[in-house]
Amino acid sequence: MSWFGNRSADRLRRMLQAIRNRDFALRFPAERMKGSERKLAEEMNDVISGFREDLIRQERQYGQYEAILNLVDSALIVADTEGNVSWMNRKAISNLCGFSITHLSMLDAVHPDLAAGLKTLIPGHPKILTLNLDGQEERLKLSMATYDSEGSDVCIYSIENVNLLVQQSEIEAQRKLIRVLTHEIMNSLSPIISLSDMLTENNRQLDEDSTEALNAINRRSKGLLKFVENYRKLSRLSQPHPEWIRIGDLFDGLRTLFPQHFIAFRIEDPDIQLQLDRHQMEQVLINLIKNAIEAIDKDPSVTVVTKADHPNHRFMISVSDNGCGISPDAVDSIFLPFFTTKSGGSGIGLSLSRQIVNLHGGTISFDSTSSGTTFTITLPFIYRL
């Protein structure tokens, strides 16, 4: 009996050690045993097998959850209240540092305000943080939730780039405003034009001053009507019809339109193909290049550069000039409809360009100093299989 007890106690210790170490490969050879010893070994094997199946089920479930979280379009970071990071999804790794971090303070490498912004979050109270990252203004939506883990709070941080969403909201609001304004203005101008035409043609007894005044009203009303009609383009922009476009072909056409010696085209890989509405995207680039040409005086230089950001699936097109830059007073209004710094300008070129780029799922931004301005188009880079 002592022998049986010692053997059983030894097996029990081995089983507990295996459970403690989460080593569920242990199995006792019950088929070589008899009686109570065999029955005990079989029960111990069943316990270990149950733990093993639970572990496999948990790992499978964990893998499913991780796969789902890696598909989320926001950067997710799990950390304790001290800022120690225990997990990040792929979006967080690729869009932030490019590597896994172990503490929130390491986000200072991205921007000094990012980690500080996360640490001041309150659950259920997201906030928008505007940062300048790699020369581009990015608006990030920061939010945080907490849960209890073994008596300690664990924080789940979400970082979402909302540049595109903000631009879409702004553009839609502008289009609605333009539709209302143009409708009301045109409804008011049409009868004024008709009335002035009728009075000028039918009333021969008008003195010279009255006739001249009516002609001025008629002329300016027609000019204003044409002016307003021009802005209706902003609210009637059609959806793009994308197709696979070789970048080299797109810029070959632009070289023909802009043969000036001071315009340089630097196409990184002309064989790259993007899903674009060629006519719309050409119009955007024509607007940007024309603006660049008009911004320069002495020793003119305009550079058009393309660059593929393969890891982040982005394709960038930049148009740079060596002009005097955009006035600080105009920086916040540059994409607004009707706003222009050029005499005789319509003020719809950049606004229309931003709408087109936005409809392609991209963004357009600019960086301007006293020595020049660069406009950058960022488009989603979908590989053609």
Side-chain angles (χ1 to χ4, degrees):
M1 187 67 183
S2 175
W3 172 81
F4 173 76
N6 290 338
R7 294 281 298 268
S8 298
D10 180 61
R11 289 179 186 134
L12 182 59
R13 280 194 295 272
R14 289 168 59 193
M15 183 188 77
L16 293 175
Q17 186 67 32
I19 293 173
R20 187 178 295 113
N21 295 332
R22 300 177 69 83
D23 175 15
F24 303 123
L26 178 66
R27 183 181 179 280
F28 298 105
E31 61 277 1
R32 300 177 186 175
M33 305 174 192
K34 297 179 180 180
S36 299
E37 185 182 11
R38 177 169 183 163
K39 185 176 181 181
L40 180 60
E42 288 175 345
E43 289 179 355
M44 294 170 74
N45 285 339
D46 286 344
V47 170
I48 295 172
S49 178
F51 275 109
R52 182 169 59 247
E53 290 174 2
D54 285 344
L55 179 63
I56 292 171
R57 185 162 49 249
Q58 289 173 8
E59 289 179 343
R60 186 182 297 118
Q61 194 172 47
Y62 177 82
Q64 291 173 347
Y65 290 152
E66 187 170 30
I68 292 170
L69 293 173
N70 280 325
L71 290 174
V72 173
D73 202 35
S74 302
L76 300 177
I77 300 175
V78 178
D80 62 20
T81 53
E82 301 299 319
N84 298 303
V85 175
S86 58
W87 186 82
M88 301 169 67
N89 69 346
R90 290 176 189 166
K91 197 76 174 182
I93 294 171
S94 62
N95 282 18
L96 296 175
C97 300
F99 54 87
S100 295
I101 63 174
T102 56
H103 197 275
L104 291 179
S105 61
M106 294 174 69
L107 291 175
D108 287 346
V110 180
H111 195 282
D113 293 340
L114 183 53
L118 292 176
K119 292 175 183 177
T120 59
L121 285 174
I122 300 173
H125 293 79
K127 66 179 181 181
I128 300 295
L129 186 66
T130 302
L131 304 176
N132 189 297
L133 302 175
D134 298 327
Q136 295 189 42
E137 186 178 88
E138 303 284 358
R139 279 169 284 196
L140 305 178
K141 178 183 176 183
L142 309 182
S143 55
M144 186 258 282
T146 62
Y147 68 92
D148 181 78
S149 176
E150 298 179 352
S152 300
D153 283 339
V154 176
C155 306
I156 304 176
Y157 296 98
S158 171
I159 305 171
E160 182 181 4
N161 191 318
V162 293
N163 264 17
L164 187 57
L165 292 175
V166 171
Q167 286 190 11
Q168 286 173 340
S169 299
E170 290 175 353
I171 289 171
E172 186 56 33
Q174 291 168 6
R175 293 178 70 175
K176 288 179 180 178
L177 177 62
I178 291 166
R179 280 197 294 268
V180 172
L181 290 177
T182 55
H183 176 76
E184 295 300 322
I185 292 172
M186 293 180 77
N187 281 353
S188 299
L189 285 175
S190 296
I192 293 173
I193 294 171
S194 298
L195 184 60
S196 60
D197 280 337
M198 182 185 69
L199 290 173
T200 304
E201 293 174 3
N202 298 335
N203 198 331
R204 304 300 180 185
Q205 298 178 352
L206 290 175
D207 57 48
E208 185 176 343
D209 288 342
S210 298
T211 301
E212 186 176 342
L214 281 172
N215 286 333
I217 291 172
N218 185 274
R219 184 173 61 255
R220 289 306 305 142
S221 296
K222 288 180 178 177
L224 185 56
L225 190 66
K226 184 178 180 181
F227 179 78
V228 172
E229 177 63 28
N230 200 25
Y231 288 114
R232 294 184 72 182
K233 296 176 183 177
L234 290 172
S235 62
R236 296 186 305 194
L237 180 63
S238 62
Q239 287 289 325
H241 299 286
E243 56 183 342
W244 288 108
I245 301 297
R246 181 178 173 271
I247 289 300
D249 295 338
L250 175 66
F251 284 95
D252 284 345
L254 291 168
R255 283 193 183 95
T256 303
L257 292 173
F258 297 99
Q260 295 92 324
H261 71 279
F262 59 83
I263 301 178
F265 291 88
R266 298 174 183 169
I267 313 305
E268 184 181 64
D269 185 352
D271 291 323
I272 284 178
Q273 296 188 46
L274 297 181
Q275 280 272 299
L276 301 174
D277 183 315
R278 178 167 181 168
H279 298 296
Q280 288 190 0
M281 197 53 62
E282 276 184 342
Q283 186 59 56
V284 171
L285 293 169
I286 288 170
N287 286 342
L288 294 181
I289 295 173
K290 285 179 66 177
N291 286 350
I293 293 172
E294 293 169 0
I296 52 182
D297 292 319
K298 299 177 181 179
D299 300 321
S301 175
V302 175
T303 307
V304 182
V305 178
T306 70
K307 180 180 177 64
D309 181 0
H310 293 275
N312 293 313
H313 300 282
R314 299 186 303 178
F315 188 85
M316 280 85 74
I317 305 171
S318 63
V319 179
S320 305
D321 64 62
N322 64 339
C324 60
I326 298 171
S327 165
D329 295 335
V331 165
D332 292 333
S333 307
I334 203 72
F335 288 112
L336 291 178
F338 315 155
F339 179 83
T340 180
T341 58
K342 298 181 287 188
S343 60
S346 66
I348 67 170
L350 285 176
S351 181
L352 193 64
S353 296
R354 188 171 75 159
Q355 284 197 44
I356 291 172
V357 172
N358 189 266
L359 288 171
H360 280 77
T363 59
I364 180 169
S365 59
F366 69 93
D367 181 51
S368 187
T369 66
S370 59
S371 58
T373 300
T374 298
F375 279 86
T376 301
I377 299 168
T378 303
L379 297 167
F381 188 5
I382 303 171
Y383 296 93
R384 186 172 187 179
L385 300 177

